[in-house]
Amino acid sequence: MPITVEKLSPKKRETLRLDEWPIWQCEPSTFPWHYDQEESCYILEGEITVTAGEQTMQISPGDYVTFPKGLDCQWQVHSAVRKHYLFR
């Protein structure tokens, strides 16, 4: 179950209506997480390392990230995070 990270064009961001998605915030911390649903998110602020099995992703502002349903991972928030998110 790979985590995907991509950069979006302004047109794609507009098409997804990211500005209408809720915002989640988190201070620096480390915690385990399980995804009961697929999550797509757009990072506004902060630096994060997410580790899932053999995969380690560095996530930063401007990244559009998709976490698959059923994923177990470890989040390490290096600097305060603000992100738009949507569960499916």
Side-chain angles (χ1 to χ4, degrees), residues 1 7 9-10 12-13 15 17 33 36 38 40 46 51-52 54-55 61-62 65 69-70 72-73 77 79 82 87-88:
M1 286 185 255
K7 297 291 186 185
S9 68
K12 180 70 173 181
R13 287 184 10 222
T15 300
R17 304 174 114 182
W33 195 255
D36 291 327
E38 178 183 276
S40 295
T51 303
E54 300 292 318
Q55 185 179 26
V65 188
K69 179 180 177 179
D72 288 305
C73 60
V77 178
S79 60
R82 282 184 71 239
F87 286 103
R88 297 187 178 96

Side-chain angles (χ1 to χ4, degrees), residues 23-41:
I23 290 182
W24 180 82
Q25 300 182 83
C26 182
E27 293 301 315
S29 55
T30 300
F31 54 91
W33 195 255
H34 172 77
Y35 287 89
D36 291 327
Q37 302 174 51
E38 178 183 276
E39 179 191 359
S40 295
C41 62

Side-chain angles (χ1 to χ4, degrees), residues 53-73:
E54 300 292 318
Q55 185 179 26
T56 298
M57 304 295 296
Q58 304 298 323
I59 301 169
S60 57
D63 287 346
Y64 180 76
V65 188
T66 302
F67 298 97
K69 179 180 177 179
L71 179 74
D72 288 305
C73 60

